[in-house]
Amino acid sequence: KYAIPALEPILKSTYGCIVYQEQVMQIFRSLAGYTLGRADIVRRAMSKKKHDVMAREKEVFLYGSDGTDGGAACEGALRRGIPEETARQIYDDLADFSSYAFNKSHAAAYALVSYRTAWLKCHFPSEYMAALLTSVLDYTGKMAGYIAECVRMGIPILPPSVNRSGEGFTVEEEGIRFGLLGIKNLGVGLIRALLAEREKNGPFASFG
């Protein structure tokens, strides 16, 4: 659904939703007569979450500017025949969008990473979650969240073992083995010495 027909060619590819910063620039240019330069100022304000700039631009979007405010002159949405209530709603939607907007190239890159990681999680769940847990060894809160996700997925988290654990989380037939670096107050130097000793002489059989 489109608030006005002029939005259709801009938003048709994303099913009527504002997804990209470039679409916002097009809306400002098409509906309010912004120059590319002034539209880019809005885009930059959005990317840096400058809500004060977005608030100032609302009057310009609605009523236009003669250029005395420091920006390029533009007609404004009302002079282009857009009803004020509709124009205000469109601008409010744009301002809300500015809190999470990406440009198209960034959005495409994030989407590609999302597809790849989703594929890995689906087809190699234990390996994926072990790598994910290893990546957050210094963040207890995140680690707890990912362990909870493993439980939800039915992947057992095996306790740390002096004879089975590595530095990070590792995959075993029975589940994911807790990594030694995830144990508080256990230094990396000691862990690596322990692993080197185990590799050289085999599993530990005693405290001696």
Side-chain angles (χ1 to χ4, degrees):
K1 296 180 180 179
Y2 305 97
I4 55 173
L7 290 175
E8 184 171 358
I10 300 171
L11 302 179
K12 187 175 182 178
S13 65
T14 51
Y15 305 99
C17 300
I18 304 168
V19 177
Y20 307 123
Q21 290 179 1
E22 288 87 343
Q23 288 175 314
V24 174
M25 292 178 66
Q26 285 179 280
I27 290 171
F28 273 83
R29 283 176 52 72
S30 178
L31 272 59
Y34 273 53
T35 63
L36 275 172
R38 185 154 196 154
D40 190 56
I41 289 172
V42 177
R43 181 200 63 78
R44 281 183 285 167
M46 293 172 65
S47 66
K48 295 178 181 179
K49 310 295 186 277
K50 292 185 176 180
H51 298 289
D52 57 329
V53 176
M54 292 297 294
R56 286 200 307 270
E57 286 295 321
K58 184 173 187 176
E59 295 301 304
V60 178
F61 178 81
L62 293 171
Y63 304 111
S65 169
D66 58 8
T68 56
D69 61 349
C74 62
E75 287 182 84
L78 302 190
R79 289 182 190 164
R80 291 199 162 194
I82 300 171
E84 183 169 353
E85 185 177 345
T86 303
R88 286 185 180 277
Q89 183 58 57
I90 291 170
Y91 192 89
D92 289 343
D93 290 342
L94 294 171
D96 289 342
F97 170 79
S98 70
S99 297
Y100 55 88
F102 278 106
N103 62 47
K104 196 169 187 177
S105 60
H106 284 194
Y110 273 105
L112 181 60
V113 172
S114 297
Y115 280 122
R116 287 176 172 172
T117 53
W119 187 88
L120 289 170
K121 187 176 181 181
C122 177
H123 296 284
F124 300 94
S126 294
E127 290 81 357
Y128 174 77
M129 293 307 297
L132 200 59
L133 283 161
T134 299
S135 74
V136 295
L137 281 167
D138 294 330
Y139 304 96
T140 306
K142 286 187 176 181
M143 193 188 303
Y146 293 148
I147 288 174
E149 176 67 4
C150 288
V151 173
R152 188 195 67 78
M153 294 169 67
I155 302 172
I157 299 295
L158 308 174
S161 166
V162 71
N163 284 327
R164 304 293 292 273
S165 293
E167 286 190 29
F169 289 77
T170 51
V171 177
E172 297 183 13
E173 188 174 343
E174 300 83 7
I176 295 175
R177 179 70 64 179
F178 202 95
L180 295 176
L181 281 173
I183 302 173
K184 284 189 174 183
N185 302 319
L186 193 59
V188 66
L190 174 62
I191 292 171
R192 288 176 180 172
L194 184 152
L195 294 177
E197 178 69 20
R198 192 175 77 193
E199 185 176 353
K200 180 180 178 182
N201 297 313
F204 295 98
S206 69
F207 288 105

